[in-house]
Amino acid sequence: MAALQRWTFVLGVLVVVFGGCDSGKNAVDQGGSPSTGGERVRGTVGVSLLTLTNPFFKEISDAMSAEAAKHGYELIVVSGEMDPARQQNQVKDFLVKGVSAIVLTPCDSKSIGPVIQEANRAGIPVFTADIACMAPEAKVVAHVASDNYGGGLEAATAMIEALGGRGKVAIIDHPIVESAMMRTKAFETRIAEENKKPEIDIEIVGKWPGYGDRETSFRVAQDVLQAHPDLNGIFAVNDPSALGVVAALENAGKAGKVKVVGFDGQPEAKQAIKQGKIYASPVQSPGTIGTETMRLIVKYFEGEDVPAEKLIPTRLYRREDAMADPALP
Amino acid sequence: MSRLLSNYGMLAVLLVLAAMFSVLTVDRQAPSGAASGRQLAARLAETLQPDDGVLIVVRPSDEECRFAEALRDALEAGGYRVVDVVSGDPADARRALVRVTDTQQPLAAIACSPTTADWSVFEDLGRRYPGLGDVRLVRPESTRWPNFLKRENLINVANQIAVIAILAIGMTMVIITGGIDLSVGSLIALSAVVTTALVRDVAGANQATALGMVLCSVGGIAACAAVGAFSGVMVTAFRIPPFIVTLAMMLVASGLAYLLSQGQSIHEVPDGFISLGRGQLAGIPNAVLLMVVLYAVAHVVMSQTIIGRYIYAVGGNVEAARLSGVPVKRVVLFVYLVGGELAGLGGVITASQLKAGSPTYGQMYELYVIAAVVVGGTSLSGGEGRILGTLIGALIIAVIQNGMNLIGVESYTQKVILGAVILAAVLLDTLKRRRG
């Protein structure tokens, strides 16, 4: 009999755990949509992001939630945490739940294709934010992203400015993700163009993979500094990589001497720009990406024609911007 | 009763979880097949005048198109006029409404599927389309039923866990011998990459034949079997602890997968490649069928055959087993080989389901697999455990993940809850053992 009691107890615990999380969810719903008060819910939007460990995606999802609440939509946000198979399962769960629309930042631009096709067959519209789907057979209503190419050009401009037009530069890149590859390509293109001018002489000594990850970039940057002790600048394709590079420079006692250009505009990176550790970053606006994605969904259900692609321009953020930024301490 | 509970207590946990998610996911269900179309037509007929115009709007899915066809046929048979059938997105619906107002056709009702009725394009019809007159929006009556218990969701749950459950068979055997295999997650990636790379480079990419793809899959599985056998040799011949050997192989396999694929996902495979992962037999996905068959075989092997008994004997007391004439080294080598093969199979299924091979697959899967085995009642110290218990453990993990997605628990909280449940399950088991 004692065994039976113990089972009952643990089952009770499980029920309490889940009961608790469900009421927590309801509280969020009520808190999230005060303006819609008595209005009915227009629909549920399922969102599966690349990862929630990068604040960039958290900002996308927060902005999307705020905009969704304004228009009477409910949001379910989950994250694939870089695992394409897990993301596929999350989308399948959305299909079973019968959501009105799906927003994805694919963990893999190609592997996401089959499950988007499933959504297509069910007639559920799919939108992508930040990272595009590259599977040609899958149909996506619209893609909202930063103008990564334009941002890459801006990054090159900042680097030339930081080095006064001359020096050796390394790139810490992310060779898998399309958006990061565009930045690298744009950076190289502008540097090559500018090098035609007689007063400009920038040599790109090479590209190393940091996979957009702070820790990996930290280790890679240490090796790069060993290999090229006369390096003048490093372009890192996102802020976590740039912060990894800064850590490596600090370790080597070269902080501030080797100019770093990042990409994204996360608060921690902005702080580093203010401290002069990063020279500048083309700043993305994840909030705008989230808001615009949700606006496109609203427009879609209003019956308006939706553009297949919406690019959000980046803006170069330098030290003087950081000094004037009220959000920084 | 209490013997049943102590043997398959986790089954009770699974059932309670299922019952709980059934209650929590009760939701409005949208009936939208042909029957629902006829029913809506009958309801419309009560209020329509002869010759009244009706516009039908559905989404472009098979089920909703059947709904629209049945509705149209029933309405036309009753002598009403179907102005148009829109099967598309809200913009198509708007254009249809504009056409109707432009041509000044009298419209009495817009018949929607349960999903299209919620489109905001149909709000404030009078203000948006002043020329439309007095139009009613009708939709089929919805019923209430748990999302969790829908047939498609239950299959979905089984399908989602199939890969982890298949890997867990091998892991159960390894753990029963007192070992551990941390490399299985990376082997998924290795197998997926080797298989798709072979399809791309050897079997003729998009033109690969079915036989060619099967041979490539065998190649992927063989690569993982080789890694598994290597781990087994290291453990038996050199007495290196399994934890260390398989940790090293986890890194080696993952690195190889990145090397072979150059860090890119390999997607140059024919459309037929998805048939293993997403094909169905009698409505059940192949991956699930494969899982069921493998569990049946493994159950028989572990409970009825000599090798099965040997595996338990090795884990129970290796010295006693050796003295009783059990070929300990061969048994241990065998379980790592099987573990590698099953991980390879899991990689082929994953590649097939995602129609691409990528080195990022399978990250952290070893932990989910070990969790399934442990939740299923297998002791990490070896010698005890049941294959069917592992299946239940895997299903518990699948049900928790699926249920949390369905009720909309956000990602951060999901991890905490999953961890808490795994701990609770094992705690339960430990308490039971200490008492018994």
Side-chain angles (χ1 to χ4, degrees), chain B residues 253-268:
Chain B
S254 172
L256 284 177
Y258 271 97
L259 276 176
L260 276 172
S261 63
Q262 303 289 321
Q264 305 283 335
S265 65
I266 302 172
H267 57 95
E268 293 89 350

Side-chain angles (χ1 to χ4, degrees), chain A residues 73-248:
Chain A
Y73 286 91
E74 231 179 26
L75 219 58
I76 304 176
V77 183
V78 291
S79 140
E81 292 305 334
M82 322 271 185
D83 178 353
R86 192 197 307 187
Q87 188 165 49
Q88 186 179 55
N89 288 343
Q90 289 169 341
V91 177
K92 284 186 177 179
D93 288 343
F94 288 154
L95 296 182
V96 167
K97 200 178 158 67
V99 295
S100 318
I102 295 173
V103 178
L104 298 173
T105 56
C107 294
D108 185 307
S109 297
K110 301 266 169 46
S111 309
I112 196 70
V115 80
I116 293 185
Q117 281 180 289
E118 258 179 70
N120 292 156
R121 278 195 294 277
I124 297 177
V126 178
F127 297 76
T128 50
D130 186 50
I131 304 168
C133 161
M134 306 296 282
E137 64 277 12
K139 231 173 62 202
V140 172
V141 177
H143 175 59
V144 182
S146 292
D147 183 358
N148 286 300
Y149 195 82
L153 297 178
E154 283 185 338
T157 307
M159 183 60 84
I160 293 168
E161 185 184 293
L163 301 185
R166 285 176 188 278
K168 291 186 172 181
V169 175
I171 301 176
I172 305 293
D173 68 352
H174 192 332
I176 303 176
V177 170
E178 184 69 22
S179 57
M181 286 153 68
M182 296 254 284
R183 295 170 195 171
T184 311
K185 197 174 156 209
F187 184 87
E188 292 171 320
T189 309
R190 166 125 331 153
I191 294 281
E193 268 170 22
E194 294 286 311
N195 270 341
K196 289 178 191 153
K197 297 182 187 163
E199 72 274 19
I200 307 273
D201 179 21
I202 304 260
E203 184 196 345
I204 297 180
V205 296
K207 292 186 276 187
W208 287 266
Y211 297 108
D213 176 60
R214 187 170 182 156
E215 202 204 330
T216 314
S217 304
F218 168 63
R219 281 184 277 114
V220 168
Q222 285 178 317
D223 295 345
V224 173
L225 290 174
Q226 291 298 328
H228 298 279
D230 55 344
L231 204 62
N232 306 101
I234 297 180
F235 169 49
V237 289
N238 70 357
D239 277 348
S241 331
L243 290 165
V245 168
V246 166

